[in-house]
Amino acid sequence: MSVRLTMADLFGCSAIIVLLAGVSFGYVAIKPALLKIGLFHALCETPDPTVHCHKQLVRLDTMFSVASYGLNALLFFMGMILDRFGTRLFALGGAVISAFSLLGFGLAIYITQPVLA
């Protein structure tokens, strides 16, 4: 493999990692949108969806904590996979996982019952 192709793979994988980490670390920007659509509002005792309760906010913050911890915990294993199998397989796996994750995030509005109660 040429040096130019290796560098292109390396920069491509680095861009994928940076862009996907934004989903986890861009939580402050997406939290108002999640509250606006009423995510976890079933935990609130008030029927008004514009009023946010403590349980709803705690559940949203827990979701962020689990996502950021999971990302940091998996970095070691992601490095091992990248070293062992190379950048192309790593990028392909990341693309497949990202596609399923974003599809699940997009379809989550249709879930009526809590999955992880």
Side-chain angles (χ1 to χ4, degrees):
M1 186 183 305
S2 71
V3 174
R4 187 175 286 179
L5 190 57
T6 302
M7 293 304 288
D9 282 344
L10 179 66
F11 286 122
C13 285
S14 298
I16 289 170
I17 290 170
V18 168
L19 291 173
L20 293 179
V23 174
S24 178
F25 294 113
Y27 173 72
V28 174
I30 200 169
K31 185 176 179 180
L34 295 175
L35 288 171
K36 186 177 181 180
I37 64 170
L39 189 65
F40 298 126
H41 185 71
L43 299 172
C44 298
E45 297 171 1
T46 61
D48 186 12
T50 60
V51 177
H52 311 301
C53 66
H54 179 70
K55 289 180 181 179
Q56 181 184 23
L57 296 174
V58 167
R59 184 64 63 99
L60 283 169
D61 291 339
T62 302
M63 183 179 73
F64 167 72
S65 298
V66 169
S68 64
Y69 173 76
L71 179 66
N72 290 323
L74 289 176
L75 284 176
F76 175 73
F77 299 107
M78 288 168 46
M80 285 177 32
I81 292 169
L82 182 62
D83 288 341
R84 176 167 287 206
F85 298 110
T87 55
R88 288 186 188 185
L89 189 60
F90 185 76
L92 179 65
V96 169
I97 291 171
S98 298
F100 281 117
S101 299
L102 293 172
L103 182 67
F105 191 75
L107 295 175
I109 195 167
Y110 300 110
I111 298 174
T112 57
Q113 298 294 322
V115 177
L116 300 173

mmCIF file of all heavy atoms in Angstrom, residues 45-69:
data_model
loop_
_atom_site.group_PDB
_atom_site.id
_atom_site.type_symbol
_atom_site.label_atom_id
_atom_site.label_comp_id
_atom_site.label_asym_id
_atom_site.label_seq_id
_atom_site.Cartn_x
_atom_site.Cartn_y
_atom_site.Cartn_z
ATOM 1 N N GLU A 45 -45.174 13.581 36.243
ATOM 2 C CA GLU A 45 -46.539 13.462 36.750
ATOM 3 C C GLU A 45 -47.474 14.491 36.123
ATOM 4 O O GLU A 45 -48.685 14.329 36.167
ATOM 5 C CB GLU A 45 -46.527 13.614 38.270
ATOM 6 C CG GLU A 45 -45.742 12.504 38.949
ATOM 7 C CD GLU A 45 -45.532 12.760 40.423
ATOM 8 O OE1 GLU A 45 -46.016 13.796 40.929
ATOM 9 O OE2 GLU A 45 -44.897 11.926 41.067
ATOM 10 N N THR A 46 -46.916 15.539 35.535
ATOM 11 C CA THR A 46 -47.753 16.569 34.918
ATOM 12 C C THR A 46 -48.079 16.183 33.479
ATOM 13 O O THR A 46 -47.225 15.686 32.757
ATOM 14 C CB THR A 46 -47.034 17.935 34.917
ATOM 15 O OG1 THR A 46 -45.836 17.815 34.156
ATOM 16 C CG2 THR A 46 -46.697 18.376 36.318
ATOM 17 N N PRO A 47 -49.305 16.412 33.048
ATOM 18 C CA PRO A 47 -49.672 16.067 31.666
ATOM 19 C C PRO A 47 -49.155 17.083 30.643
ATOM 20 O O PRO A 47 -49.150 16.800 29.452
ATOM 21 C CB PRO A 47 -51.194 16.046 31.698
ATOM 22 C CG PRO A 47 -51.569 16.944 32.821
ATOM 23 C CD PRO A 47 -50.459 16.855 33.835
ATOM 24 N N ASP A 48 -48.717 18.253 31.094
ATOM 25 C CA ASP A 48 -48.254 19.297 30.181
ATOM 26 C C ASP A 48 -46.861 18.956 29.667
ATOM 27 O O ASP A 48 -45.906 18.889 30.450
ATOM 28 C CB ASP A 48 -48.234 20.644 30.912
ATOM 29 C CG ASP A 48 -47.899 21.798 29.988
ATOM 30 O OD1 ASP A 48 -47.909 21.595 28.757
ATOM 31 O OD2 ASP A 48 -47.643 22.899 30.507
ATOM 32 N N PRO A 49 -46.695 18.719 28.354
ATOM 33 C CA PRO A 49 -45.378 18.332 27.830
ATOM 34 C C PRO A 49 -44.350 19.460 27.826
ATOM 35 O O PRO A 49 -43.168 19.221 27.624
ATOM 36 C CB PRO A 49 -45.678 17.859 26.409
ATOM 37 C CG PRO A 49 -46.953 18.515 26.051
ATOM 38 C CD PRO A 49 -47.716 18.720 27.326
ATOM 39 N N THR A 50 -44.801 20.709 28.046
ATOM 40 C CA THR A 50 -43.840 21.815 28.067
ATOM 41 C C THR A 50 -43.171 21.972 29.425
ATOM 42 O O THR A 50 -42.161 22.667 29.539
ATOM 43 C CB THR A 50 -44.529 23.135 27.686
ATOM 44 O OG1 THR A 50 -45.571 23.405 28.626
ATOM 45 C CG2 THR A 50 -45.084 23.054 26.274
ATOM 46 N N VAL A 51 -43.726 21.330 30.452
ATOM 47 C CA VAL A 51 -43.147 21.389 31.797
ATOM 48 C C VAL A 51 -42.254 20.166 31.977
ATOM 49 O O VAL A 51 -42.695 19.036 31.815
ATOM 50 C CB VAL A 51 -44.261 21.408 32.873
ATOM 51 C CG1 VAL A 51 -43.656 21.403 34.258
ATOM 52 C CG2 VAL A 51 -45.163 22.600 32.671
ATOM 53 N N HIS A 52 -41.004 20.409 32.319
ATOM 54 C CA HIS A 52 -40.038 19.324 32.483
ATOM 55 C C HIS A 52 -39.883 19.007 33.960
ATOM 56 O O HIS A 52 -39.794 19.904 34.796
ATOM 57 C CB HIS A 52 -38.690 19.703 31.883
ATOM 58 C CG HIS A 52 -38.796 20.242 30.494
ATOM 59 N ND1 HIS A 52 -39.343 19.528 29.460
ATOM 60 C CD2 HIS A 52 -38.451 21.437 29.973
ATOM 61 C CE1 HIS A 52 -39.321 20.248 28.370
ATOM 62 N NE2 HIS A 52 -38.788 21.423 28.647
ATOM 63 N N CYS A 53 -39.830 17.721 34.280
ATOM 64 C CA CYS A 53 -39.694 17.308 35.670
ATOM 65 C C CYS A 53 -38.275 16.808 35.940
ATOM 66 O O CYS A 53 -37.476 16.592 35.027
ATOM 67 C CB CYS A 53 -40.715 16.233 36.007
ATOM 68 S SG CYS A 53 -40.482 14.682 35.141
ATOM 69 N N HIS A 54 -37.999 16.629 37.211
ATOM 70 C CA HIS A 54 -36.663 16.213 37.640
ATOM 71 C C HIS A 54 -36.318 14.815 37.115
ATOM 72 O O HIS A 54 -35.190 14.582 36.668
ATOM 73 C CB HIS A 54 -36.585 16.252 39.163
ATOM 74 C CG HIS A 54 -35.269 15.822 39.699
ATOM 75 N ND1 HIS A 54 -34.128 16.587 39.549
ATOM 76 C CD2 HIS A 54 -34.887 14.710 40.361
ATOM 77 C CE1 HIS A 54 -33.105 15.958 40.097
ATOM 78 N NE2 HIS A 54 -33.539 14.825 40.605
ATOM 79 N N LYS A 55 -37.270 13.897 37.141
ATOM 80 C CA LYS A 55 -37.004 12.531 36.675
ATOM 81 C C LYS A 55 -36.638 12.505 35.194
ATOM 82 O O LYS A 55 -35.779 11.747 34.767
ATOM 83 C CB LYS A 55 -38.217 11.636 36.919
ATOM 84 C CG LYS A 55 -38.469 11.320 38.365
ATOM 85 C CD LYS A 55 -39.683 10.423 38.512
ATOM 86 C CE LYS A 55 -39.963 10.130 39.960
ATOM 87 N NZ LYS A 55 -41.145 9.280 40.121
ATOM 88 N N GLN A 56 -37.292 13.335 34.412
ATOM 89 C CA GLN A 56 -37.010 13.412 32.982
ATOM 90 C C GLN A 56 -35.599 13.937 32.739
ATOM 91 O O GLN A 56 -34.850 13.389 31.928
ATOM 92 C CB GLN A 56 -38.032 14.323 32.309
ATOM 93 C CG GLN A 56 -37.865 14.466 30.816
ATOM 94 C CD GLN A 56 -38.845 15.459 30.224
ATOM 95 O OE1 GLN A 56 -39.351 16.335 30.922
ATOM 96 N NE2 GLN A 56 -39.111 15.327 28.942
ATOM 97 N N LEU A 57 -35.212 14.979 33.455
ATOM 98 C CA LEU A 57 -33.880 15.550 33.287
ATOM 99 C C LEU A 57 -32.796 14.588 33.755
ATOM 100 O O LEU A 57 -31.735 14.481 33.128
ATOM 101 C CB LEU A 57 -33.788 16.876 34.037
ATOM 102 C CG LEU A 57 -34.710 17.982 33.522
ATOM 103 C CD1 LEU A 57 -34.641 19.198 34.426
ATOM 104 C CD2 LEU A 57 -34.379 18.341 32.099
ATOM 105 N N VAL A 58 -33.067 13.867 34.841
ATOM 106 C CA VAL A 58 -32.093 12.888 35.330
ATOM 107 C C VAL A 58 -31.914 11.767 34.324
ATOM 108 O O VAL A 58 -30.798 11.317 34.052
ATOM 109 C CB VAL A 58 -32.522 12.337 36.720
ATOM 110 C CG1 VAL A 58 -31.723 11.112 37.088
ATOM 111 C CG2 VAL A 58 -32.372 13.403 37.771
ATOM 112 N N ARG A 59 -32.998 11.313 33.700
ATOM 113 C CA ARG A 59 -32.903 10.247 32.704
ATOM 114 C C ARG A 59 -32.115 10.703 31.482
ATOM 115 O O ARG A 59 -31.297 9.957 30.943
ATOM 116 C CB ARG A 59 -34.302 9.799 32.305
ATOM 117 C CG ARG A 59 -34.358 8.628 31.347
ATOM 118 C CD ARG A 59 -33.788 7.333 31.908
ATOM 119 N NE ARG A 59 -34.499 6.838 33.035
ATOM 120 C CZ ARG A 59 -35.420 5.882 33.026
ATOM 121 N NH1 ARG A 59 -35.734 5.316 31.889
ATOM 122 N NH2 ARG A 59 -35.992 5.493 34.134
ATOM 123 N N LEU A 60 -32.326 11.935 31.057
ATOM 124 C CA LEU A 60 -31.567 12.467 29.920
ATOM 125 C C LEU A 60 -30.087 12.604 30.261
ATOM 126 O O LEU A 60 -29.222 12.281 29.442
ATOM 127 C CB LEU A 60 -32.136 13.824 29.494
ATOM 128 C CG LEU A 60 -33.426 13.768 28.686
ATOM 129 C CD1 LEU A 60 -34.020 15.157 28.571
ATOM 130 C CD2 LEU A 60 -33.191 13.169 27.325
ATOM 131 N N ASP A 61 -29.790 13.064 31.460
ATOM 132 C CA ASP A 61 -28.389 13.199 31.865
ATOM 133 C C ASP A 61 -27.729 11.835 32.026
ATOM 134 O O ASP A 61 -26.545 11.674 31.729
ATOM 135 C CB ASP A 61 -28.289 14.003 33.155
ATOM 136 C CG ASP A 61 -28.663 15.461 32.951
ATOM 137 O OD1 ASP A 61 -28.603 15.920 31.794
ATOM 138 O OD2 ASP A 61 -29.018 16.132 33.934
ATOM 139 N N THR A 62 -28.481 10.849 32.478
ATOM 140 C CA THR A 62 -27.948 9.489 32.583
ATOM 141 C C THR A 62 -27.638 8.936 31.205
ATOM 142 O O THR A 62 -26.617 8.262 31.006
ATOM 143 C CB THR A 62 -28.954 8.573 33.305
ATOM 144 O OG1 THR A 62 -29.218 9.122 34.593
ATOM 145 C CG2 THR A 62 -28.421 7.165 33.454
ATOM 146 N N MET A 63 -28.496 9.237 30.234
ATOM 147 C CA MET A 63 -28.259 8.803 28.860
ATOM 148 C C MET A 63 -26.934 9.370 28.352
ATOM 149 O O MET A 63 -26.136 8.654 27.733
ATOM 150 C CB MET A 63 -29.420 9.272 27.977
ATOM 151 C CG MET A 63 -29.336 8.835 26.548
ATOM 152 S SD MET A 63 -30.748 9.393 25.580
ATOM 153 C CE MET A 63 -30.386 11.122 25.417
ATOM 154 N N PHE A 64 -26.663 10.641 28.636
ATOM 155 C CA PHE A 64 -25.400 11.253 28.226
ATOM 156 C C PHE A 64 -24.218 10.620 28.947
ATOM 157 O O PHE A 64 -23.182 10.347 28.342
ATOM 158 C CB PHE A 64 -25.416 12.756 28.495
ATOM 159 C CG PHE A 64 -24.064 13.380 28.396
ATOM 160 C CD1 PHE A 64 -23.457 13.543 27.170
ATOM 161 C CD2 PHE A 64 -23.392 13.786 29.531
ATOM 162 C CE1 PHE A 64 -22.199 14.102 27.072
ATOM 163 C CE2 PHE A 64 -22.141 14.344 29.447
ATOM 164 C CZ PHE A 64 -21.543 14.505 28.215
ATOM 165 N N SER A 65 -24.372 10.364 30.248
ATOM 166 C CA SER A 65 -23.272 9.775 31.022
ATOM 167 C C SER A 65 -22.907 8.390 30.500
ATOM 168 O O SER A 65 -21.728 8.060 30.367
ATOM 169 C CB SER A 65 -23.653 9.687 32.499
ATOM 170 O OG SER A 65 -23.877 10.967 33.021
ATOM 171 N N VAL A 66 -23.898 7.589 30.198
ATOM 172 C CA VAL A 66 -23.642 6.248 29.668
ATOM 173 C C VAL A 66 -22.970 6.328 28.302
ATOM 174 O O VAL A 66 -22.023 5.582 28.014
ATOM 175 C CB VAL A 66 -24.958 5.434 29.605
ATOM 176 C CG1 VAL A 66 -24.779 4.153 28.823
ATOM 177 C CG2 VAL A 66 -25.458 5.130 31.005
ATOM 178 N N ALA A 67 -23.423 7.258 27.465
ATOM 179 C CA ALA A 67 -22.828 7.397 26.130
ATOM 180 C C ALA A 67 -21.375 7.843 26.208
ATOM 181 O O ALA A 67 -20.511 7.299 25.511
ATOM 182 C CB ALA A 67 -23.640 8.384 25.299
ATOM 183 N N SER A 68 -21.077 8.822 27.042
ATOM 184 C CA SER A 68 -19.695 9.305 27.111
ATOM 185 C C SER A 68 -18.788 8.283 27.784
ATOM 186 O O SER A 68 -17.638 8.094 27.362
ATOM 187 C CB SER A 68 -19.624 10.646 27.827
ATOM 188 O OG SER A 68 -20.030 10.517 29.164
ATOM 189 N N TYR A 69 -19.277 7.582 28.804
ATOM 190 C CA TYR A 69 -18.480 6.533 29.430
ATOM 191 C C TYR A 69 -18.225 5.397 28.439
ATOM 192 O O TYR A 69 -17.118 4.887 28.339
ATOM 193 C CB TYR A 69 -19.173 5.991 30.682
ATOM 194 C CG TYR A 69 -18.463 4.803 31.259
ATOM 195 C CD1 TYR A 69 -17.287 4.954 31.975
ATOM 196 C CD2 TYR A 69 -18.944 3.506 31.060
ATOM 197 C CE1 TYR A 69 -16.615 3.863 32.494
ATOM 198 C CE2 TYR A 69 -18.287 2.417 31.569
ATOM 199 C CZ TYR A 69 -17.123 2.597 32.289
ATOM 200 O OH TYR A 69 -16.465 1.515 32.788
#
